[in-house]
Amino acid sequence: MHYASVENISKSFGIRTLFKNISFYIEEGDKIALVARNGSGKSTLLKIITGLDTPDNGTVWVHKDIKVVMLQQDNDFDANKSIWDNVLRLDNPVVKVVKEYEQFLEEGQDDVEKLGDLMASLDDLNAWSFESDLKQILGKLNLHHLNERMGNLSGGQKKRVALAQALIEADLHEGRCLLILDEPTNHLDVDMIEWLEDYLSAAKVTLLLVTHDRYFLDAVCNEIIEIDEEKVFVYKGDHDNFLEQKSLRLEVQQSELQKDKNIFRKELEWMRKQPKA
């Protein structure tokens, strides 16, 4: 299934061009790493695909049945609400019934009929599994005190909350989700990174991510898209194959450049030999 396409898009800031007339495609099941030198427009490109930014020209198309979920570098959390409340602010029927059930228990209500209705809704939506999966993800990311106010958390903890939220939202749309992750391993220790590698490798999700962690890239991704000199180049396979294919590409470019220089030199010599008008 064709999930998304980027067609001839460009993006500049003032006189600085990040990329120009680039195109690539994302198919169901792709797990793609986006690589480039710092400042080449990786995060900007992710935001354009998500709809948070717009290209100067060209088009981005995403299948109407696909949910795009993005982990950004900056996240807008309510500092006065708890971790749990911030994670459960997703607009999804499963999330809503779980939130209502948790609130019912927290308030210690004794309305047996309401409790029965909530439990029936949880059964109908298979929401018991969702709640269990969510708490497991939060636990793996070392987020255990779920009633802690977001305003009390460190920057690294907030980043892990955002990652947990993105993963669980993608899980809610399993099989119909494009998950976009911008530097997901930032603020994670080795155990968390290894868990995330296993999670993303096994997940039935189409993935586009930016990472500087080569080992994480190799463990998770099966394709690399590189932004270089305002263009994009697509490579199938792991990071070693990427380096090998890039080296061959640069050799061809150097050969063509040398050939052009030789042609220019010969034409210049020919011009100099001609009699002046």
Side-chain angles (χ1 to χ4, degrees), residues 181-204:
L181 302 177
D182 193 357
E183 294 290 357
T185 58
N186 284 359
H187 308 291
L188 303 187
D189 62 24
V190 174
D191 289 339
M192 294 178 196
I193 292 173
E194 290 178 350
W195 169 81
L196 185 60
E197 287 176 0
D198 293 339
Y199 183 90
L200 292 175
S201 297
K204 294 179 181 179

Side-chain angles (χ1 to χ4, degrees), residues 6 36 170 265:
V6 172
R265 178 175 52 79

